Amino acid sequence: MPGMHIEFIEAQITEIEERLRQAMLASDVRVLNELLASNIIITSHRGELLKKQDDLAAHESGSFQFHELNPSERQIQVCGEVAIVSVRMQIVGSYQGSAANGDFRFTRVWARTESEVWQIVAAHISQVA
């Protein structure tokens, strides 16, 4: 029953993506710390390469401030113990004091850890022109 297994994983990822969205809106560093792998590779919408501590520090300091995160066009592709998510996100907020309102696309790679927890191991953000 591989199809049922994939559907179950897709449901798990959909749920954890919502948990991530809520944590981003609240700048909930505790939850973000749980969801981001320690060795995550993040490429920001400005092309900057960031690490986990950079992302958490930006939420703690208020560099990232999200007022609205409205997802659409979500696609999930399951590949064994990895799930790749592409989601379009309408954002109202700011980044390092500058307005960061607009239409963005996030690509996230979720991997299941040895303790059976899903964490993001790579993320890429692009602004949709």
Side-chain angles (χ1 to χ4, degrees):
M1 302 295 239
M4 289 183 68
H5 181 68
I6 289 173
E7 290 172 5
F8 177 72
I9 292 173
E10 287 175 352
Q12 285 182 319
I13 296 299
T14 299
E15 184 177 304
I16 204 165
E17 278 276 321
E18 179 57 21
R19 188 169 179 230
L20 173 67
R21 190 180 80 82
Q22 292 298 329
M24 290 170 67
L25 279 167
S27 286
D28 188 334
V29 175
R30 184 189 60 79
V31 173
L32 293 170
N33 187 49
E34 291 174 18
L35 298 178
L36 304 180
S38 59
N39 60 346
I40 187 172
I41 298 169
I42 304 167
T43 305
S44 79
H45 70 288
R46 294 182 175 174
E48 303 160 314
L49 194 57
L50 305 174
K51 296 180 179 182
K52 179 177 182 171
Q53 53 269 33
D54 300 323
D55 189 71
L56 296 179
H59 280 281
E60 268 184 332
S61 70
S63 290
F64 288 146
Q65 291 188 337
F66 297 112
H67 307 295
E68 292 182 31
L69 293 169
N70 300 312
S72 64
E73 299 179 27
R74 179 177 291 134
Q75 295 181 14
I76 301 171
Q77 182 176 350
V78 178
C79 303
E81 298 298 306
V82 171
I84 302 158
V85 175
S86 175
V87 62
R88 194 167 183 163
M89 194 77 69
Q90 190 67 37
I91 295 176
V92 176
S94 63
Y95 177 68
Q96 295 181 343
S98 300
N101 303 331
D103 203 6
F104 294 82
R105 184 164 306 273
F106 290 75
T107 302
R108 288 186 273 269
V109 179
W110 292 87
R112 201 182 331 232
T113 66
E114 290 178 18
S115 58
E116 298 294 311
V117 175
W118 287 102
Q119 288 189 315
I120 304 167
V121 295
H124 187 275
I125 303 109
S126 296
Q127 189 156 16
V128 178

